[in-house]
Amino acid sequence: MSSKFVGTILKPKSWIAIVLILLATAAFFGLGFLDYLEPIIGFLNSDQLSFQLGEMRFSAYLLLRAFFTIILVFWLAGIVSQVVSSRINAIKRIKSSNRSLVVKTVQIIIYFAAATVALDVFGFDLTTLTIFSGAVGIGVGFGLQKIASNFISGIILLFEKSIEDGDLVELSDNTFGFIRHTGARYTLLETPDGREVMIPNEDFMTSRVTNWTYTNKQGRIEIFVGISYSSDVDLAMEIMLEAARAHPRCAPDPVPVCFVRQFADSSINLLLQFWVEDVTLGRYEPQSDVMRAIWRNFKTKGIEIPFPQQDVHLKTEEPRS
């Protein structure tokens, strides 16, 4: 039996399936109320179709009743969870990260309650579950370690609000993109080239993460340019600053700045820094536009951008007499 089929039974999405399940449930309880099912129940509950497990007696009737009750309980839990989640997500006054946290908490409570009811239907004494707490702890410590770590990390991320949907982040392995969804196990990141990367939540807790939009969306752009030693340095710096100020995406505050960074072998290296208001719109386009403007104005004003070159001096010996 595939997981998709089981999921369809426990949480039907078609309204026809929901109506059929409701009709079947109503018919079953109606027949039971009118005592039409008594002979069938007596047969399924007979000793021939029963077995003993410790102090508990299991019959075919008990197992069938538990099976259908569990399906009904989890089906109702799925519907309640879906309705509550849609209502919470419709509240736009709450941030998306807070909505996700509330939805996950509500889903955990609903399904925990459903699991408790299911165990009670089977006749388990819930107080005896404490006996298995040590075994569960060992299982979590070994087999479920990563799953538990990612789940707890996801909850911490939602509480801390260090990353939210729409944030532009960069990981230590240079993975770069926008946060699209924070789940129980992974965070979905969309890269600028359209790839969707599923990153375990634990990576955001144990690795260095750069959030370009944590407090604001401003971003700094740097441009390195080398000019020849025969060029006017002050004029070159003013041309670079003017090219940055003229760009429509250049932020007025902080103002663009230009520095002399190095006296290299064949050039004087300059550094231009300017800020854009919204880094999520991209950095390459304004950087390219400003670099082209600098190139055009350098050619107009006679500022030379040198290429690496070496002077080779040949010495020849005079012939001996």
Side-chain angles (χ1 to χ4, degrees), residues 185-189 195-201 203-204:
R185 185 178 60 86
Y186 65 87
T187 296
L188 183 65
L189 185 142
R195 292 182 297 126
E196 293 182 331
V197 184
M198 299 178 185
I199 302 173
N201 292 329
D203 290 357
F204 288 94

Side-chain angles (χ1 to χ4, degrees), residues 187-252:
T187 296
L188 183 65
L189 185 142
E190 182 182 1
T191 62
D193 57 358
R195 292 182 297 126
E196 293 182 331
V197 184
M198 299 178 185
I199 302 173
N201 292 329
E202 185 183 14
D203 290 357
F204 288 94
M205 302 296 298
T206 58
S207 303
R208 179 176 297 178
V209 180
T210 301
N211 191 339
W212 289 83
T213 56
Y214 182 62
T215 57
N216 59 74
K217 293 186 177 182
Q218 282 191 331
R220 191 178 70 184
I221 297 176
E222 297 183 343
I223 297 176
F224 290 89
V225 179
I227 63 174
S228 65
Y229 279 92
S230 60
S231 299
D232 189 334
V233 175
D234 294 331
L235 178 59
M237 295 174 65
E238 183 58 35
I239 291 174
M240 294 172 67
L241 289 172
E242 185 58 33
R245 297 191 197 104
H247 197 275
R249 288 188 55 194
C250 178

Side-chain angles (χ1 to χ4, degrees), residues 8-41:
T8 304
I9 292 178
L10 295 179
K11 192 176 179 182
K13 298 181 180 179
S14 172
W15 67 270
I16 298 178
I18 294 175
V19 170
L20 290 176
I21 292 175
L22 288 175
L23 290 176
T25 304
F28 177 79
F29 283 104
L31 291 174
F33 179 77
L34 297 175
D35 295 332
Y36 285 108
L37 298 179
E38 283 298 327
I40 300 176
I41 294 175

Side-chain angles (χ1 to χ4, degrees), residues 24 87 95 99 118 124 131-132 142 157 162 185 268 320:
R87 294 292 179 88
K95 290 185 177 181
R99 290 200 301 268
F124 285 105
I131 301 174
F132 302 99
F142 289 96
L157 290 174
S162 55
R185 185 178 60 86
I268 300 175
R320 295 179 182 180

Side-chain angles (χ1 to χ4, degrees), residues 22-226:
L22 288 175
L23 290 176
T25 304
F28 177 79
F29 283 104
L31 291 174
F33 179 77
L34 297 175
D35 295 332
Y36 285 108
L37 298 179
E38 283 298 327
I40 300 176
I41 294 175
F43 172 72
L44 294 176
N45 206 25
S46 62
D47 293 336
Q48 291 81 2
L49 298 177
S50 304
F51 63 93
Q52 199 77 16
L53 185 62
E55 298 181 355
M56 298 185 63
R57 178 179 179 273
F58 293 92
S59 65
Y61 168 71
L62 177 62
L63 294 177
L64 287 174
R65 188 185 68 174
F67 175 74
F68 286 107
T69 304
I70 289 172
I71 290 178
L72 182 62
V73 167
F74 277 97
W75 175 65
L76 292 175
I79 293 178
V80 172
S81 174
Q82 185 176 3
V83 171
V84 173
S85 299
S86 61
R87 294 292 179 88
I88 295 175
N89 289 324
I91 305 175
K92 301 302 180 183
R93 292 174 297 177
I94 305 177
K95 290 185 177 181
S96 59
S97 60
N98 294 339
R99 290 200 301 268
S100 300
L101 180 60
V102 173
V103 167
K104 292 183 188 306
T105 304
V106 170
Q107 288 177 344
I108 291 173
I109 294 173
I110 291 174
Y111 282 103
F112 178 78
T116 303
V117 173
L119 290 174
D120 185 64
V121 168
F122 268 109
F124 285 105
D125 186 3
L126 298 181
T127 58
T128 60
L129 293 179
T130 55
I131 301 174
F132 302 99
S133 59
V136 172
I138 295 174
V140 170
F142 289 96
L144 303 179
Q145 181 180 9
K146 286 295 182 181
I147 297 177
S149 176
N150 287 320
F151 178 77
I152 295 173
S153 297
I155 297 297
I156 294 175
L157 290 174
L158 291 174
F159 266 116
E160 288 184 343
K161 302 178 184 178
S162 55
I163 59 171
E164 297 182 330
D165 291 354
D167 282 354
L168 182 63
V169 300
E170 183 175 0
L171 303 182
S172 57
D173 60 354
N174 297 325
T175 302
F176 184 82
F178 295 92
I179 299 295
R180 295 308 185 197
H181 173 69
T182 301
R185 185 178 60 86
Y186 65 87
T187 296
L188 183 65
L189 185 142
E190 182 182 1
T191 62
D193 57 358
R195 292 182 297 126
E196 293 182 331
V197 184
M198 299 178 185
I199 302 173
N201 292 329
E202 185 183 14
D203 290 357
F204 288 94
M205 302 296 298
T206 58
S207 303
R208 179 176 297 178
V209 180
T210 301
N211 191 339
W212 289 83
T213 56
Y214 182 62
T215 57
N216 59 74
K217 293 186 177 182
Q218 282 191 331
R220 191 178 70 184
I221 297 176
E222 297 183 343
I223 297 176
F224 290 89
V225 179

